[in-house]
Amino acid sequence: MTNRKGARDPGAEELNGAIARRLGQLRRVRQQSFDELALRTGVSKGMLVQIEQGRANPSIGTLCRLAAGFGVSVVELLSEEDAKTSAIQIVGAEQGRLLWKGPKGGSAVLNVGTPGPDMLELWSWTLMPGERYESRAHAMGTVELIHVHSGTLDLESEGCVERVTAGAGARLKADRPHAYAVSARARARATFSMVVQEPGTRIQSPL
């Protein structure tokens, strides 16, 4: 979603348009003003206006705050359709949402998730050598399960750095600041899957 090179990204524009329409829909249904939503989420009124007009490129953290403010999951915030209730739901490869682009070619894709307010999400990440993604605390009780497919990933939390190699996994308490990184000395990118379990609690700091 975030293109750090500043080039036009049709996929990002399409996603921003969907978010804009969904934000307007949720605000109208809940009869919330921009001032009320800003107070509830901690996202500034000006930013909310830009997002609803499709002129902003919201970060993953901003999306999480908006979803929590409405009591929905991020997946529901990104979808203009109501969640289906069938026992099996297929999410095609083309339906994955690219929500972050790293400065060296890394990416974070939200593959599939459940409706809120309790959230369970499956992500696919790629970090190139020298890339780092910093995340502020998620809602209290949030846990991330990580499995590294290739390369070596550094997990950072509370002053500790743990290195996770290909084939290994990790459990991370994500209700505190944390980061994912690949050393600039690494010879290859790191690819990993992440499952995020976030309880439907009150607004917390953004990613």
Side-chain angles (χ1 to χ4, degrees), residues 83-146:
K84 297 178 181 179
T85 57
S86 58
I88 299 176
Q89 298 174 31
I90 303 300
V91 179
E94 74 285 355
Q95 293 176 275
R97 296 296 196 176
L98 175 63
L99 296 184
W100 177 77
K101 286 184 179 179
K104 298 184 179 182
S107 62
V109 177
L110 176 55
N111 301 118
V112 64
T114 61
D118 296 319
M119 287 190 288
L120 186 63
E121 301 169 342
L122 175 62
W123 292 72
S124 294
W125 281 77
T126 297
L127 289 180
M128 305 301 289
E131 282 190 325
R132 173 186 174 87
Y133 185 91
E134 295 186 359
S135 173
R136 295 185 183 177
H138 294 255
M140 186 62 65
T142 299
V143 175
E144 295 178 353
L145 301 178
I146 294 169

